[in-house]
Amino acid sequence: MKSSSLFVSAGLALSLLSVGISAHAQKPIELSLGHVLTLESHYHAAAKTFADTVEARSKGTMKINLFPAGQLGGEVKMIQAVRTGTQDLVITGGGPVENTARDFSVYSFPYLFNDLDHANSVMQGPIGQEMLGLLSKSNILGLGFISAIERNIFTNGKRITKASDMNGLKIRVIQGQGFVKTYEALGAQPTPMAYAELYTALQNGAVDAAENSPDVFVQDKFIEVSKTYTMARVMYMPAMILMSPARYDRLTAEQKQIIRDATAAAIGAAEVHYKKAYTESLQIIKNRGIEVIEPDLASFHATRESVHASLLNSMPQTRPWYEKITAASKK
């Protein structure tokens, strides 16, 4: 009787151990994804779609924890965290990436693309894929470009109606060498500063202007401290999903494919979301009484050749990519 009881106890212990091991094995793999924009942004539309696709395709064995609105820090900080492996994923604009991979400064050239669709076709095509491959040298895995971002100019008073109005304009720009050199070449006084400081800087006159897309202008409430919004369409800034190679390499082949599939889904969702938010935000800007200016774009385009020559001279690493993009644009 005692022997039988021992067998039962042993069997029960083994059964409980098996359940414990099974439960541990089923614990989902959790990955962190951060970005600096709001829940209403196309960054977050991409992030949410990415997370939902990963969870669905993996049947719950993988989970993406989202940290929007700069909860994990600014873009420069998050990019560095991805490089060191302390953060798994980031959706970021191209400006801060220039500090790590200087070839990406080519995307800061003004009037490099005809419009948003042209920019997206280049970035999401063979040239963009080749450029993402450059990031491996900096210990970053470039998963893909989501929708580019049209950069227009908003001010706390001065009207920008032609290129010469840029002379002496103290404008906050992204902390990337291409952005700084571009606005210098246009005659402005570019002032790199943290994004979190911009609202107050516009309010107290520390800067005269800044540049961003209509949707971000509304979502981040710059509409409250601005008087004009000029549709200068200076550039189309890339935005991309980056991942820690160390974290990616620990995944199985099946899990890696899930990450790739989720990237494709995120790209599609972001593009649709951006175009819709762009149109709606422009209407909101007009309704709030902000002057929306359609400038003399010919005067801006007339600066293109000299500005590009200046930028190529000061950033020679961009020349091969500049030539590839311009050649592809002529086809």
Side-chain angles (χ1 to χ4, degrees):
M1 190 73 177
K2 185 182 287 186
S3 175
S4 175
S5 179
L6 285 172
F7 280 124
V8 170
S9 297
L12 181 60
L14 285 171
S15 177
L16 289 171
L17 179 62
S18 174
V19 169
I21 292 172
S22 176
H24 180 75
Q26 292 174 4
K27 184 179 179 181
I29 294 170
E30 296 193 27
L31 303 174
S32 59
L33 189 162
H35 66 80
V36 298
L37 296 186
T38 67
L39 299 179
E40 292 77 31
S41 67
H42 81 295
Y43 279 21
H44 199 69
K48 182 74 166 55
T49 301
F50 186 92
D52 290 346
T53 304
V54 166
E55 186 167 1
R57 297 283 176 89
S58 71
K59 296 181 171 58
T61 62
M62 298 173 71
K63 181 182 178 183
I64 309 296
N65 295 316
L66 302 181
F67 298 91
Q71 292 178 37
L72 299 181
E75 289 180 326
V76 172
K77 180 180 179 180
M78 286 193 284
I79 291 168
Q80 185 59 27
V82 165
R83 293 181 69 187
T84 60
T86 56
Q87 181 174 324
D88 301 312
L89 295 134
V90 61
I91 297 178
T92 178
V97 176
E98 295 176 10
N99 300 314
T100 300
R102 293 188 177 275
D103 298 54
F104 276 73
S105 295
V106 71
Y107 290 123
S108 299
F109 282 42
Y111 306 106
L112 183 63
F113 301 110
N114 299 328
D115 53 29
L116 179 67
D117 289 337
H118 180 206
N120 284 337
S121 69
V122 169
M123 295 175 193
Q124 294 168 12
I127 294 173
Q129 291 306 304
E130 189 178 357
M131 291 199 75
L132 287 175
L134 297 174
L135 295 173
S136 62
K137 298 176 184 176
S138 302
N139 200 37
I140 297 172
L141 174 62
L143 291 176
F145 288 97
I146 64 171
S147 179
I149 305 164
E150 183 180 286
R151 311 298 288 193
N152 295 306
I153 300 166
F154 53 95
T155 78
N156 52 14
K158 183 174 181 178
R159 299 179 76 251
I160 307 297
T161 64
K162 57 188 180 301
S164 61
D165 292 334
M166 296 293 292
N167 292 332
L169 184 73
K170 195 170 183 182
I171 183 170
R172 181 270 176 184
V173 298
I174 287 176
Q175 295 166 300
Q177 65 163 352
F179 275 76
V180 172
K181 291 182 182 297
T182 287
Y183 281 96
E184 282 178 345
L186 287 170
Q189 296 180 28
T191 306
M193 68 169 57
Y195 191 64
E197 300 172 9
L198 177 55
Y199 185 98
T200 302
L202 281 167
Q203 195 172 40
N204 64 24
V207 295
D208 306 316
E211 44 83 52
N212 218 319
S213 186
D215 55 323
V216 179
F217 178 71
V218 172
Q219 291 161 8
D220 287 345
K221 304 188 186 307
F222 297 120
I223 195 171
E224 297 174 352
V225 289
S226 302
K227 295 181 179 178
T228 75
Y229 189 89
T230 297
M231 303 294 291
R233 301 175 177 89
V234 178
M235 63 184 75
Y236 291 90
M237 186 185 79
M240 61 204 85
I241 307 175
L242 308 178
M243 186 170 185
S244 162
R247 195 69 181 91
Y248 183 79
D249 290 343
R250 293 202 298 271
L251 301 176
T252 66
E254 182 181 359
Q255 290 166 342
K256 288 176 181 176
Q257 187 56 52
I258 288 171
I259 292 293
R260 295 291 182 180
D261 292 344
T263 299
I267 290 169
E271 191 164 337
V272 171
H273 184 97
Y274 179 79
K275 288 182 176 180
K276 182 172 184 289
Y278 178 103
T279 302
E280 292 175 348
S281 296
L282 268 182
Q283 190 58 53
I284 291 171
I285 294 168
K286 293 173 183 176
N287 291 346
R288 283 288 294 269
I290 304 295
E291 184 182 10
V292 176
I293 299 170
E294 287 289 350
D296 175 16
L297 283 180
S299 69
F300 281 91
H301 291 165
T303 69
R304 178 168 47 198
E305 188 173 337
S306 62
V307 171
H308 286 191
S310 173
L311 293 173
L312 288 167
N313 184 57
S314 62
M315 299 186 293
Q317 77 279 2
T318 62
R319 185 175 294 277
W321 302 105
Y322 176 82
E323 291 174 349
K324 286 183 181 184
I325 291 170
T326 53
S329 300
K330 292 174 182 176
K331 294 178 179 178

